[in-house]
C-alpha cells in the first residue's frame, strides 16, 4: 500500500498552494464583504491551467487526474471557499457532465473552452419544488418534429449569471422518474432562457448563485446531453464525483480554521499564559486535526479509486458526509477558541463557519448521504 502522492500530484498541490496563499487569501475577506464575483482571479487560475486538471488533453485539459483535482480544490478552499465552489461546480458538475456524457460536437464546442477556463458551465438540477427528490423535476421538455421545447425553472444554481451554458434536467415523460428525465445543454442567450438575480446567502458571498428560467426554450435534437431518459442516472454519476470535490473543499476550509486557531492559541494570553496551554483548548485543536486528517484520507482514497476506474460511490459519499460535518465542527470550534474575536468580521473564522455550512447541504444533504450509504452497505 502506498499513501504517497506522486511527484506530479505534489507539484500541482504546491503550485496551487502558492497561488492560493499569495494571491487569493489576501483578497478573500474583501470579495466576501462586497459579494463580488472573482473574475480576475479566475482568469489567473485559467492562466495557471487549473481548469484543465480534471479533463482529457484532447479537449484542452491536462489529463483528468482526480487526486490532483481534489488537492487543487482543498488548496483553493483554504484561501477562499467561494472561489473553490465556483471552480468545483464548474469542473465537477457542468463541464464534468459534458466530459462524461457530451457528444464529440458538444465537447469540441463547449468542453474545450471550459477546460481552458474561458467559459463556465452551470449545472441545473435543483428546482424550487425538488432538490433532494431530483428524479421528479417539474421542468418539462416536449418533443417537437425538429427538436425540443423546455419550460420550467431551476433554483440555487452556482455560476448561473456567469456561465456560457447550462446543463439542465427536464422531465421528458410526465412526472419524470427513472427513465423519464433528460439532460439538455442550453447556451446563454438562447431565446426564452434567462437568469434571475443573485440570492442573498449566509456565506460564499463571492460565488454566483441565481435561479434559471426556461420559458419556451427551443433546442435542436442535438441539445440532449447523453442519452434521452437517462438524465437522472447520469446526474447521480456526476454527483458521485462532485462529492469528492465537496469533501476536499470542506477539508480546505476546516484546515484554514485549524491553522488560524493554532496561531491564536499560541498568541492569546489569559490568566497569565497562552490559551493553548489550557487542556480544554489543546483537546479541541487535537480533535480538529484528527478529524480533518481522516477526512483528507477519505477523499484521497475516493479520488484514487475513481482514478483506478474502480467503484467509488460509497467512498465518495462517506468522504463528503464525514468531511463536511468534521469541517463544520472545526469552524465552529475555531470561533470558540477565538472567543469574542471569533464573532467579529475582521477575523476570518466567522467567514469559514458561514462558508463551510453549505457543504452539509449541496450535492446531497447529510440526510440523503446517509440514505445512500445505508443502501450501499445493504442496510
Ligand atoms: C449555495 C448553493 C449552491 C448550490 N448550487 C447548486 C447547483 O449548482 N446546481 C444545483 O442543481 N443545485 C445547487 N444547489 C442546490 C442544492 O443541491 C440543494 O439545495 C440540496 O440538494 C437540497 O435540496 P433542497 O434545498 O430542495 O432541500 P430538500 O430536498 O427540500 O430538503 C429539505 C430537508 O429535508 C431533508 N430530506 C429531504 N428528503 C429526505 C429524505 N428522503 N429522507 C430524509 N431527509 C430528507 C433534507 O436532507 C433537508 O434536511 C445549491 C444550493 C446552495 C445553497
Amino acid at each position: 500500500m502506498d499513501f504517497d502522492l506522486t511527484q506530479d500530484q505534489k507539484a500541482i498541490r504546491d503550485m496551487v498552494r502558492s497561488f492560493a496563499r499569495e494571491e487569493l487569501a489576501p483578497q478573500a475577506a474583501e470579495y466576501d464583504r462586497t459579494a463580488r464575483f472573482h473574475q480576475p482571479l479566475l482568469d489567473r487560475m485559467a492562466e495557471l491551467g487549473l481548469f484543465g486538471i480534471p479533463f482529457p488533453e484532447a479537449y484542452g485539459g491536462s489529463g483528468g487526474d482526480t487526486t490532483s483535482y481534489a488537492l487543487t480544490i482543498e488548496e483553493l478552499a483554504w484561501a477562499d471557499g467561494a472561489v473553490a465552489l465556483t471552480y468545483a461546480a464548474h469542473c465537477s458538475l457542468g463541464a464534468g457532465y459534458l466530459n462524461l456524457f457530451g457528444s464529440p460536437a458538444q465537447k469540441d464546442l463547449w468542453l474545450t473552452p471550459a477546460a481552458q477556463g474561458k467559459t463556465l458551465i452551470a449545472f441545473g438540477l435543483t428546482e424550487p419544488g425538488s432538490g433532494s427528490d431530483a428524479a421528479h423535476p417539474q421542468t418539462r421538455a416536449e418533443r417537437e418534429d425538429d427538436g425540443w421545447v423546455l419550460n420550467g425553472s431551476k433554483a440555487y444554481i452556482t455560476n448561473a449569471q456567469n456561465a456560457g451554458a447550462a446543463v439542465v434536467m427536464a422531465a421528458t415523460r410526465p412526472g419524470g422518474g427513472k427513465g423519464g428525465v433528460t439532460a439538455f445543454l442550453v447556451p446563454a442567450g438562447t431565446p426564452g432562457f434567462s437568469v434571475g438575480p443573485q440570492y442573498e446567502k449566509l456565506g460564499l458571498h463571492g460565488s454566483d448563485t441565481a435561479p434559471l428560467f426556461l420559458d419556451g426554450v427551443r433546442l435542436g435534437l442535438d441539445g440532449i446531453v447523453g442519452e434521452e431518459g437517462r438524465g437522472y442516472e447520469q446526474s447521480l454519476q456526476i454527483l458521485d464525483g462532485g462529492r469528492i470535490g465537496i469533501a476536499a473543499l470542506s477539508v480546505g476550509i476546516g484546515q484554514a480554521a485549524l491553522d488560524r486557531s493554532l496561531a491564536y492559541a499560541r498568541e492569546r494570553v489569559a490568566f497569565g499564559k497562552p490559551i493553548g496551554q489550557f487542556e480544554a483548548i489543546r483537546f479541541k485543536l487535537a480533535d480538529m486535526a484528527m478529524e480533518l486528517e481522516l477526512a483528507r484520507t477519505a477523499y484521497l482514497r475516493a479520488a484514487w479509486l475513481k482514478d483506478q476506474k474502480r467503484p467509488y460511490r460509497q467512498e465518495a459519499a462517506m468522504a463528503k458526509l464525514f468531511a463536511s460535518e468534521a469541517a463544520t465542527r472545526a469552524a465552529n470550534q475555531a470561533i470558540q477558541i477565538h472567543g469574542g474575536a471569533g464573532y467579529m468580521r475582521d477575523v476570518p473564522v466567522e467567514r469559514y463557519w458561514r462558508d463551510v455550512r453549505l457543504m452539509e447541504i449541496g450535492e446531497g444533504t447529510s440526510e440523503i448521504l446517509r440514505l445512500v450509504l445505508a443502501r450501499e452497505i445493504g442496510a
Side-chain angles (χ1 to χ4, degrees), residues 89 93 113 125 197 314:
L93 306 180
L125 178 66
Q314 179 176 321

Side-chain angles (χ1 to χ4, degrees), residues 123 125-126 131-132 156-158 201 358 361 363 365 367 371:
F123 172 65
L125 178 66
T126 306
S132 303
Y156 314 137
I157 305 306
T158 303
K201 303 191 289 285
L358 172 73
I361 298 169
E363 302 195 32
T365 62
E367 292 77 15
L371 286 180

Side-chain angles (χ1 to χ4, degrees), residues 147-235:
W148 296 89
V149 183
L150 275 65
N151 283 288
S153 66
K154 298 287 164 183
Y156 314 137
I157 305 306
T158 303
N159 296 329
Q161 289 188 350
N162 288 279
V167 177
V168 300
M169 299 309 126
T172 37
R173 200 175 62 189
K178 282 181 189 155
V181 177
T182 302
F184 292 89
L185 179 63
V186 188
T190 305
F193 180 46
S194 60
V195 184
Q198 289 292 319
Y199 294 99
E200 288 188 26
K201 303 191 289 285
L202 171 69
L204 300 164
H205 292 156
S207 115
D208 158 12
T209 322
L212 300 177
F213 301 105
L214 301 133
D215 185 9
V217 170
R218 285 176 185 278
L219 298 174
L221 295 174
D222 58 358
I224 289 181
V225 187
E227 278 181 59
E228 183 180 337
R230 297 272 307 157
Y232 174 65
E233 291 78 2
Q234 292 173 179
S235 297

Side-chain angles (χ1 to χ4, degrees), residues 259-279 281-282 285 333-344 347:
D259 292 347
R260 282 275 171 180
S261 301
L262 277 169
Y264 192 74
R266 283 190 199 106
E267 82 198 22
R268 174 70 179 174
V269 173
F271 297 93
K273 46 181 163 178
I275 59 167
Q277 289 184 16
F278 298 127
E279 191 171 87
I281 301 293
R282 290 161 62 79
L285 293 165
Q333 290 294 23
I335 293 183
Q336 199 65 22
I337 291 168
H338 281 73
Y343 205 68
M344 299 298 139
V347 176

Side-chain angles (χ1 to χ4, degrees), residues 73-158:
I73 295 175
E74 181 185 334
E75 294 303 326
L76 296 175
W78 186 94
D80 188 330
V83 169
L85 183 66
T86 301
Y87 174 79
H90 165 73
C91 293
S92 296
L93 306 180
Y97 212 107
L98 295 179
N99 183 36
L100 267 194
F101 304 111
S103 66
Q106 287 169 335
K107 289 186 185 181
D108 281 337
L109 197 59
W110 291 105
L111 182 57
T112 301
Q116 292 166 340
K118 291 182 180 157
T119 189
L120 292 172
I121 312 287
F123 172 65
L125 178 66
T126 306
E127 300 194 350
S130 69
S132 303
D133 188 10
H136 300 101
Q138 275 153 27
T139 297
R140 294 288 314 270
E142 310 284 349
R143 180 68 202 268
E144 288 199 341
D145 291 345
D146 54 348
W148 296 89
V149 183
L150 275 65
N151 283 288
S153 66
K154 298 287 164 183
Y156 314 137
I157 305 306
T158 303

